Amino acid sequence: MRRLGPFHPRVHWAAPPSLSSGLHRLLFLRGTRIPSSTTLSPPRHDSLSLDGGTVNPRRVREPTGREAFGPSPASSDWLPARWRNGRGGRPRARLCSGWTAAEEARRSPTLGGLLGRQRWLLRMGAGRLGAPMERHGRASATSLSSAGEQAAGDPEGRRQEPLRRRASSASVPAVGASAEGTRRDRLGSYSGPTSVSRQRIESLRKKRPLFPWFGLDIGGTLVKLVYFEPKDITAEEEEEEVESLKSIRKYLTSNVAYGSTGIRDVHLELKDLTLCGRKGNLHFIRFPTHDMPAFIQMGRDKNFSSLHTVFCATGGGAYKFEQDFLTIGDLQLCKLDELDCLIKGILYIDSVGFNGRSQCYYFENPADSEKCQKLPFDLKNPYPLLLVNIGSGVSILAVYSKDNYKRVTGTSLGGGTFFGLCCLLTGCTTFEEALEMASRGDSTKVDKLVRDIYGGDYERFGLPGWAVASSFGNMMSKEKREAVSKEDLARATLITITNNIGSIARMCALNENINQVVFVGNFLRINTIAMRLLAYALDYWSKGQLKALFSEHEGYFGAVGALLELLKIP
Amino acid sequence: NKPTPFFFLRRIFPWFGLDIGGTLVKLVYFEPKDITAEEEEEEVESLKSIRKYLTSNVAYGSTGIRDVHLELKDLTLCGRKGNLHFIRFPTHDMPAFIQMGRDKNFSSLHTVFCATGGGAYKFEQDFLTIGDLQLCKLDELDCLIKGILYIDSVGFNGRSQCYYFENPADSEKCQKLPFDLKNPYPLLLVNIGSGVSILAVYSKDNYKRVTGTSLGGGTFFGLCCLLTGCTTFEEALEMASRGDSTKVDKLVRDIYGGDYERFGLPGWAVASSFGNMMSKEKREAVSKEDLARATLITITNNIGSIARMCALNENINQVVFVGNFLRINTIAMRLLAYALDYWSKGQLKALFSEHEGYFGAVGALLELLKIP
């Protein structure tokens, strides 16, 4: 196999300029859970599912795209449409779909394979110092001899390494099989390839991608980033650690604010989490999507691409910014569907809990300021569930099982509407400011209530006098306009948007025959008014049939799901 | 069978139907054209003056308007032949209306005033104490259904009452075409007034209120007043007709860079209404017309979406939109027509009605005349 010479740090495994950035990636159809209802692209073969979403390596090696699935069912535009970068499309297989480079090398005989091997070599440090690195390590009987078959390793085994042994030189990768074979033969010694560290072999064998581990969710308003900070780094690993990786780790974990708009939600940090056999803390960071160009630029300046890590990203921005990541940041995004990630993320986070506490909660007596309590809720029977994701806009999903969900509907009157209208009506500039004003306002001056029209209740149809008949309905009157404050307007905007979402959610729950409704998304961040209103309204209008549930990590589930995809955690 | 005295009492002129809504009062007045010389001689002076006042004006005071184009001519009601007039004025002027009733001594006519809408309850006491008039209160949705079925049956001066839009999204090809509502049931009736009520109608006497939404015509008008400084509904619509909502709203393509194909969301669909307005630069780049347009689109789309969900769940495929939000509001009607068709993949049909906002008042009139 051709050994590549010393590498410029910027050279990496992406396709040479003559290829479109999509072509070097293997293409396969993820098993989609719902039949596509799109009229935009030709009908897809959604029944083709690979083991319900898990990757079958044998399948992936086959030619994919048009050849695999027969003649194109519709327009001749189909193939170019599939490759449309940043324009949507199905989640595509990534060259490095969380596989280690060694696996790619073995399984991708095509160009992708060549590039994968290059990449693997670079990761092994072969390029950095211009010579194979000598690594030390002691074979630990437990971890090495038996760990070959297991994907998740035993962290304890790795820690017992007082002795170091010199590894013999080897020139060729093909790490997985031979290294395992070697180690099994000689239990107490280590004579694998010199250019490979024991930790890296562990990583590869346990099918772990290399650090850093990020999950990115690029939404309409906010970018959510989850970062796994390993706390079980051995001295050896630390020594090996590439400088840029170390600086990323330090930068992220020693700050709570980044630039002028990035924020780490420290209170959400999940401590002592075990992911893929590594122990560490999971950090939750957000910044406005508006600052995405700056983020990509930072990636470029800090040479993220040299880390050759896979960036798993979801949300619309994963598609929108894909090209920018590539051309400016030299980073290949692995694009994932936002709703897939959302579901994955929320189920995972609910399963690990929140530092010993419950992730999921509800409100008792939501309408009573004094008696209102936030109480934990054990989501032990999660299915079926109605999931209402309130971001810039709203998506409503009916979740029947881990792998079976559908998008019931959505509404464009979401968090972005609340924030946008508030900015227009009150002159506020931040979400926090809008909420703060709303907390001090009285929406009943702005809205026309049932009692304003009926003089009391509309009993015939069970509409109490205090119910809103017409949001902002008083504002057509000049005198009433002059009598309201900005705070009243902010409050009315919040109430209007929240009630509308609650009403639509209630209708969906009724029609899907689901009685637990989980509200997530960053509209609810620090927004107790909205949460209590949703809780109250759902309970009231359903006559106690529906329960509104909330989640501590609100808006981060998509990013968590993306991280889980990176780590191939099902 | 000899008619009871009560029967006669209700049939005494003038014949009014009143619908006192959250924003507008709708009044229908039956003008008899078959008055005999004898009857005219007997006619009480105040009754004659009411008749002349209403029929010789098209505007009343500073805010009352008679929609002449909606006048139903040569209608036969309870054996009498005449014209049905449609008048509206803001609910805000209700006190003035009651005062006028007092000044003109309506109570001496001993007529029954059938009124529906929330205001029939809210102003009942005022009618009594100030105007000495006893209201007969009727439910607004009962009257709505009654009214729409009746008006559809009599047609509109020979034309169809009910219509739909062909090619609603195409400004050049868009056509308003008559629709024969011969199989009216089941029907989803979406009444867009200040607020919205959605009814599933299974037969003349069998309907239910499926749901409602508080984001209705009042929201559109109220928000427009706040955002643009306009003062009338007409002005708000006129500004909206000249605006571009895509500068205000965040579309799917603004977030995805294109379509969100996985779930069939085209790039031009609105992902977040007013979503661009959190950005200072974008706020400075939009005009009042853009804001008015965005408000109209937002409210209309929300109503359409909720209506679509109800139609789907009630298994009904014809949806009739009524209410004064749609008055002179072709943009909203075409958008509802387009959206319903698009998102339901052609399964649902959006229908409209010429007498939009007056069905409640007509229903009240029919109750007065005990017309089943």
Side-chain angles (χ1 to χ4, degrees), chain A residues 244-265:
Chain A
S244 48
L245 176 57
K246 197 185 304 256
S247 83
I248 287 170
R249 187 157 50 80
K250 292 210 177 315
Y251 177 61
L252 290 179
T253 57
S254 47
N255 290 300
V256 294
Y258 313 95
S260 54
T261 56
I263 294 183
R264 177 159 65 96
D265 282 318

Side-chain angles (χ1 to χ4, degrees), chain A residues 31-41 44 81 84 86-91 218-221 290 315-321 337-340 391-395 405-421 423-425 427-429 446 448 451-455 458 460-461 463 468-477 479 481 484 489 496-497 499-500 503-504 506-508 511-512, chain B residues 20-23 91-92 116-123 138-142 193-199 207-223 225-227 229-231 248 250 252-268 270-283 286 291 295 298-299 301-302 305-310 312-314 342 345:
Chain A
T32 51
R33 287 124 185 141
I34 53 161
S36 154
S37 61
T38 181
T39 54
L40 313 157
S41 55
R44 302 195 295 252
R84 217 179 317 136
R87 312 291 290 172
R90 276 163 287 181
I218 312 174
T221 305
H290 178 262
Y319 296 82
K320 179 174 175 181
F321 292 103
D337 178 74
E338 61 171 280
L339 300 182
D340 287 343
S392 307
V394 183
S395 278
Y405 77 93
K406 71 173 182 185
R407 184 180 186 272
V408 178
T409 189
T411 171
S412 65
L413 280 77
T417 313
F418 163 66
F419 191 14
L421 268 178
C423 291
L424 288 169
L425 293 172
C428 70
T429 49
V446 181
K448 193 167 276 181
R451 67 176 178 237
D452 295 329
I453 302 180
Y454 272 80
Y458 181 9
R460 171 80 185 271
F461 292 99
L463 297 173
V468 181
S470 178
S471 299
F472 286 86
N474 278 350
M475 298 294 90
M476 53 182 80
S477 145
E479 306 94 64
R481 279 199 299 279
V484 300
L489 293 175
T496 299
I497 298 303
N499 272 331
N500 193 52
S503 172
I504 292 172
R506 184 185 60 83
M507 271 196 284
C508 291
N511 298 316
E512 299 293 325
Chain B
I20 313 175
T23 305
T91 306
H92 179 261
T116 186
Y121 297 79
K122 179 173 174 180
F123 294 102
L138 304 160
D139 178 73
E140 61 172 280
L141 301 181
D142 287 344
S194 307
V196 183
S197 277
I198 299 184
L199 323 180
Y207 77 92
K208 70 173 183 185
R209 184 179 186 273
V210 178
T211 189
T213 171
S214 65
L215 279 77
T219 313
F220 163 67
F221 191 15
L223 268 178
C225 291
L226 288 168
L227 294 171
C230 70
T231 49
V248 181
K250 195 167 273 182
V252 168
R253 67 177 178 238
D254 294 329
I255 302 181
Y256 272 80
D259 307 324
Y260 182 9
E261 289 175 14
R262 171 83 184 269
F263 294 101
L265 297 174
W268 50 256
V270 181
S272 178
S273 298
F274 286 88
N276 278 350
M277 298 293 91
M278 52 181 83
S279 145
K280 187 165 191 284
E281 308 94 65
K282 299 209 169 94
R283 279 199 299 277
V286 300
L291 293 175
T295 311
T298 299
I299 298 301
N301 272 331
N302 193 51
S305 171
I306 292 172
R308 185 186 60 83
M309 271 197 286
C310 291
L312 191 72
N313 297 316
E314 299 295 322
Y342 181 89
K345 303 193 201 326

Side-chain angles (χ1 to χ4, degrees), chain B residues 17-307:
Chain B
L18 199 58
D19 177 0
I20 313 175
T23 305
L24 291 175
V25 179
K26 285 75 71 178
L27 182 69
V28 298
Y29 166 66
F30 181 78
E31 173 204 11
K33 297 294 274 183
D34 58 354
I35 300 181
T36 62
E38 191 181 326
E39 203 177 348
E40 185 136 20
E41 210 183 286
E42 268 181 19
E43 208 179 22
V44 171
E45 204 47 47
S46 48
L47 179 56
K48 196 184 307 252
S49 84
I50 285 169
R51 187 154 49 81
K52 291 211 179 313
Y53 177 61
L54 289 179
T55 57
S56 46
N57 291 299
V58 295
Y60 313 96
S62 54
T63 57
I65 294 182
R66 179 159 65 96
D67 283 316
V68 185
H69 65 287
L70 293 181
E71 185 178 325
L72 290 179
K73 299 192 198 310
D74 299 327
L75 200 66
T76 301
L77 264 180
C78 270
R80 300 301 302 256
K81 216 164 175 177
N83 300 334
L84 196 59
H85 299 279
F86 298 85
I87 297 162
R88 56 182 160 88
F89 60 92
T91 306
H92 179 261
D93 296 335
M94 202 63 207
F97 179 81
I98 296 175
Q99 192 62 41
M100 180 175 78
R102 175 196 180 94
D103 298 341
K104 293 196 186 298
N105 220 0
F106 275 10
S107 56
S108 68
L109 294 168
H110 303 293
T111 190
V112 179
F113 245 107
C114 273
T116 186
Y121 297 79
K122 179 173 174 180
F123 294 102
E124 184 183 25
Q125 277 304 310
D126 290 346
F127 266 95
L128 198 58
T129 54
I130 301 171
D132 209 10
L133 292 156
Q134 178 73 55
L135 283 188
C136 165
K137 301 191 307 288
L138 304 160
D139 178 73
E140 61 172 280
L141 301 181
D142 287 344
C143 287
L144 169 65
I145 305 249
K146 223 175 160 71
I148 197 175
L149 295 176
Y150 173 78
I151 291 288
D152 186 69
S153 71
V154 301
F156 183 18
N157 300 329
R159 292 150 44 199
S160 175
Q161 167 71 213
C162 184
Y163 63 92
Y164 70 104
F165 287 95
E166 185 117 298
N167 305 314
D170 189 332
S171 301
E172 316 218 339
K173 296 186 190 165
C174 179
Q175 284 195 87
K176 177 177 151 178
L177 297 172
F179 187 84
D180 184 1
L181 202 57
K182 54 186 177 294
N183 298 317
Y185 310 117
L187 186 77
L188 197 76
L189 189 54
V190 182
N191 185 26
I192 316 174
S194 307
V196 183
S197 277
I198 299 184
L199 323 180
V201 188
Y202 303 105
S203 79
K204 197 163 73 63
D205 303 300
N206 181 17
Y207 77 92
K208 70 173 183 185
R209 184 179 186 273
V210 178
T211 189
T213 171
S214 65
L215 279 77
T219 313
F220 163 67
F221 191 15
L223 268 178
C224 267
C225 291
L226 288 168
L227 294 171
T228 70
C230 70
T231 49
T232 67
F233 183 69
E234 288 76 2
E235 198 183 337
L237 285 184
E238 198 275 328
M239 289 176 100
S241 71
R242 291 184 285 121
D244 176 10
S245 61
T246 63
K247 292 176 165 177
V248 181
D249 295 334
K250 195 167 273 182
L251 310 182
V252 168
R253 67 177 178 238
D254 294 329
I255 302 181
Y256 272 80
D259 307 324
Y260 182 9
E261 289 175 14
R262 171 83 184 269
F263 294 101
L265 297 174
W268 50 256
V270 181
S272 178
S273 298
F274 286 88
N276 278 350
M277 298 293 91
M278 52 181 83
S279 145
K280 187 165 191 284
E281 308 94 65
K282 299 209 169 94
R283 279 199 299 277
E284 287 166 357
V286 300
S287 65
K288 291 189 180 322
E289 287 77 12
D290 298 332
L291 293 175
R293 182 71 170 226
T295 311
L296 182 61
I297 298 303
T298 299
I299 298 301
T300 305
N301 272 331
N302 193 51
I303 294 170
S305 171
I306 292 172

Side-chain angles (χ1 to χ4, degrees), chain A residues 313-324:
Chain A
T314 185
Y319 296 82
K320 179 174 175 181
F321 292 103
E322 185 184 23
Q323 275 304 310
D324 289 345

Side-chain angles (χ1 to χ4, degrees), chain A residues 72-379:
Chain A
S72 162
S75 72
S76 58
D77 188 41
W78 181 75
L79 186 58
R82 299 274 309 273
W83 295 120
R84 217 179 317 136
N85 289 312
R87 312 291 290 172
R90 276 163 287 181
R92 301 175 188 176
R94 292 77 56 186
L95 175 62
C96 1
S97 54
W99 293 342
T100 61
E103 293 185 271
E104 291 169 359
R106 270 187 293 122
R107 289 164 179 164
S108 316
T110 61
L111 174 67
L114 170 65
L115 298 171
R117 284 192 289 276
Q118 290 179 11
R119 185 164 165 272
W120 177 85
L121 276 177
L122 199 57
R123 277 181 173 172
M124 294 304 106
R128 253 185 97 233
L129 303 179
M133 286 161 64
E134 292 189 343
R135 301 311 315 164
H136 313 283
R138 181 175 79 92
S140 148
T142 21
S143 61
L144 292 181
S145 60
S146 57
E149 302 75 26
Q150 297 160 6
D154 170 17
E156 276 65 41
R158 297 176 51 259
R159 291 221 180 91
Q160 305 158 15
E161 307 174 276
L163 277 177
R164 292 175 171 207
R165 279 177 160 272
R166 187 160 289 268
S168 56
S169 313
S171 57
V172 175
V175 168
S178 63
E180 288 171 17
T182 307
R183 277 191 290 277
R184 280 199 202 100
D185 291 339
R186 306 182 222 182
L187 209 58
S189 68
Y190 176 74
S191 55
T194 20
S195 61
V196 178
S197 74
R198 204 178 69 75
Q199 280 70 25
R200 290 178 193 268
I201 293 178
E202 296 262 344
S203 264
L204 298 172
R205 261 207 339 230
K206 287 162 186 174
K207 299 178 175 45
R208 281 192 291 251
L210 293 169
F211 287 126
W213 293 352
F214 280 122
L216 198 59
D217 177 358
I218 312 174
T221 305
L222 291 176
V223 179
K224 284 74 70 179
L225 181 68
V226 298
Y227 166 66
F228 180 80
E229 171 203 11
K231 297 295 273 183
D232 58 354
I233 300 182
T234 60
E236 193 177 329
E237 200 179 352
E238 182 137 21
E239 202 183 293
E240 266 181 20
E241 209 179 18
V242 171
E243 204 48 46
S244 48
L245 176 57
K246 197 185 304 256
S247 83
I248 287 170
R249 187 157 50 80
K250 292 210 177 315
Y251 177 61
L252 290 179
T253 57
S254 47
N255 290 300
V256 294
Y258 313 95
S260 54
T261 56
I263 294 183
R264 177 159 65 96
D265 282 318
V266 185
H267 65 288
L268 292 181
E269 185 178 325
L270 290 180
K271 299 193 199 307
D272 299 328
L273 200 66
T274 301
L275 266 180
C276 262
R278 297 303 301 259
K279 217 165 176 177
N281 298 334
L282 196 59
H283 297 281
F284 298 86
I285 297 163
R286 57 184 159 89
F287 61 92
T289 304
H290 178 262
D291 296 335
M292 202 62 208
F295 178 79
I296 295 175
Q297 190 63 42
M298 180 175 79
R300 177 196 181 96
D301 297 341
K302 292 195 188 297
N303 223 355
F304 276 8
S305 56
S306 68
L307 294 169
H308 304 293
T309 190
V310 180
F311 247 107
C312 274
T314 185
Y319 296 82
K320 179 174 175 181
F321 292 103
E322 185 184 23
Q323 275 304 310
D324 289 345
F325 266 94
L326 198 58
T327 54
I328 301 171
D330 219 5
L331 293 157
Q332 180 73 54
L333 284 188
C334 162
K335 301 191 308 287
L336 304 161
D337 178 74
E338 61 171 280
L339 300 182
D340 287 343
C341 287
L342 169 65
I343 305 252
K344 221 176 160 69
I346 197 175
L347 294 176
Y348 174 79
I349 290 286
D350 186 68
S351 72
V352 302
F354 183 18
N355 300 329
R357 293 152 41 200
S358 175
Q359 168 71 215
C360 185
Y361 62 92
Y362 71 104
F363 287 95
E364 186 119 297
N365 304 314
D368 189 330
S369 300
E370 317 219 337
K371 295 187 193 166
C372 179
Q373 283 196 89
K374 176 175 153 180
L375 297 172
F377 187 84
D378 184 359
L379 203 59

